[in-house]
Amino acid sequence: MMLNRKNTGPTGRLASLVAITAAAALALTACNSGSGSTGGSSPAAGGDLKITFIPKQLNNPYTDVVLGGGKKGAQEAGFASSQVVGPLEASASSQVSFINAETQAGTNVVVIAANDPDAVCTALGEARSAGAKIVAFDSDANPDCRDVFISQVVAKEVALIQTKLISEQIGGSGEIAILSATANATNQNEWIKFMEEELASNPAYKDIKLVAKVYGDDNDTKSFQEAQGLLQAHPSLKGIISPTTVGIAATARYLSTSAYKGKVALTGLGLPNEMRPFVKDGTVKEFALWDPAQLGYVAAFAGKALQDGKISGAEGDTFTAGELGERKVEKGGLVIVGPPTVFNAENIDKYNF
Ligand code: RAM
């Protein structure tokens, strides 16, 4: 299910060129002509519905897993074609031109992980006026600009798991820092807000001090440098939470060859396949995530249900997400995919994503 791409992190004009090329290549490889019906679902009446996924960025291994599930879901839900387009960098406005292109193309469902909740709004509004249904997934757009938000987990729950893990790993006291994705990311910012509230209000965490929040922009090199900078600026640091798969992998790589290995704790959200070596070499004890493929899969079915008029995104709406069964739309157009899992040396080999 994984489309393997390397995180090369190019910048400037080269980056845009590569983005266009990569997007074109993905569009071709991800396009399924014909009805593409499997698992007992039948194609849409008319059979010509098009769905496009716009992730935060293309060169992110997490995105590859999410989109693998999205492609499967699009086929099973009965879309005639599915494609993936998007920027290489997760900056606030980087998705706008991609959304506009979908409006021009008359795409029926746009699935987007917003890099900034508001920067994408006008463009999404135009896509809607042209008849598209908008499914936000992974990182929400402003609720005024989309029909539903497919959230991997309950936001507060994923925040609380990470504060609990860091507390356990540093023995309940000391300085910690957060190394996040971009400063505008809706998903990371919501998790961080809940973490800060929990650290401030739960007596169990009274001896833990959050001393810094830094942003690696979901860029491997920048995240690595931010991790290095954190340790230099805060010599007493006892732990780092990185609620992003790119950030935690880069930080683990830095710690694993530094004098801090095994001394400074690292937890957060990571892909088991990327984190496995760092769990095995003792750099990381425990971290969390959900199954990213399920996120893309459910998003495709939600898009189909919206386009078919079976749901409108109102509280209480229900739809069937293929093999994952029935999903319910909660207040605010929220659809929760599943609970998070904690990975450690005992269970990590059971997972392959
Ligand atoms: C990164 C991205 C993504 C987030 C995961 C946990 O890959 O920032 O949006 O959901 O981490």
Side-chain angles (χ1 to χ4, degrees), residues 168-226:
E168 285 167 4
Q169 292 174 22
I170 65 169
S173 78
E175 293 183 358
I176 63 163
I178 294 175
L179 191 155
S180 189
T182 63
N184 297 317
T186 329
N187 52 344
Q188 271 87 13
N189 284 346
E190 190 175 20
W191 301 328
I192 292 170
K193 179 192 81 185
F194 284 126
M195 286 182 210
E196 289 182 309
E197 281 174 18
E198 180 70 0
L199 289 170
S201 64
N202 188 333
Y205 303 141
K206 66 178 188 343
D207 297 326
I208 298 178
K209 192 169 173 219
L210 178 63
V211 293
K213 280 186 283 181
V214 296
Y215 300 89
D217 293 348
D218 272 351
N219 172 299
D220 179 70
T221 309
K222 181 156 193 276
S223 304
F224 186 94
Q225 288 162 352
E226 291 291 346

Side-chain angles (χ1 to χ4, degrees), residues 230-247:
L230 270 180
L231 272 315
Q232 271 161 14
H234 303 278
S236 311
L237 203 65
K238 287 185 73 184
I240 299 172
I241 300 178
S242 187
T244 142
T245 58
V246 178

Side-chain angles (χ1 to χ4, degrees), residues 56-57 60-63 113 138-139 152 181-182 185 187-188 191 218 243-247 269-270 289-290 295:
K56 279 179 167 180
Q57 59 183 149
N60 178 340
Y62 171 86
T63 294
D138 185 49
S139 184
Q152 43 280 55
T182 63
N187 52 344
Q188 271 87 13
W191 301 328
D218 272 351
T244 142
T245 58
V246 178
L269 305 176
L289 199 72
W290 43 88
L295 186 62

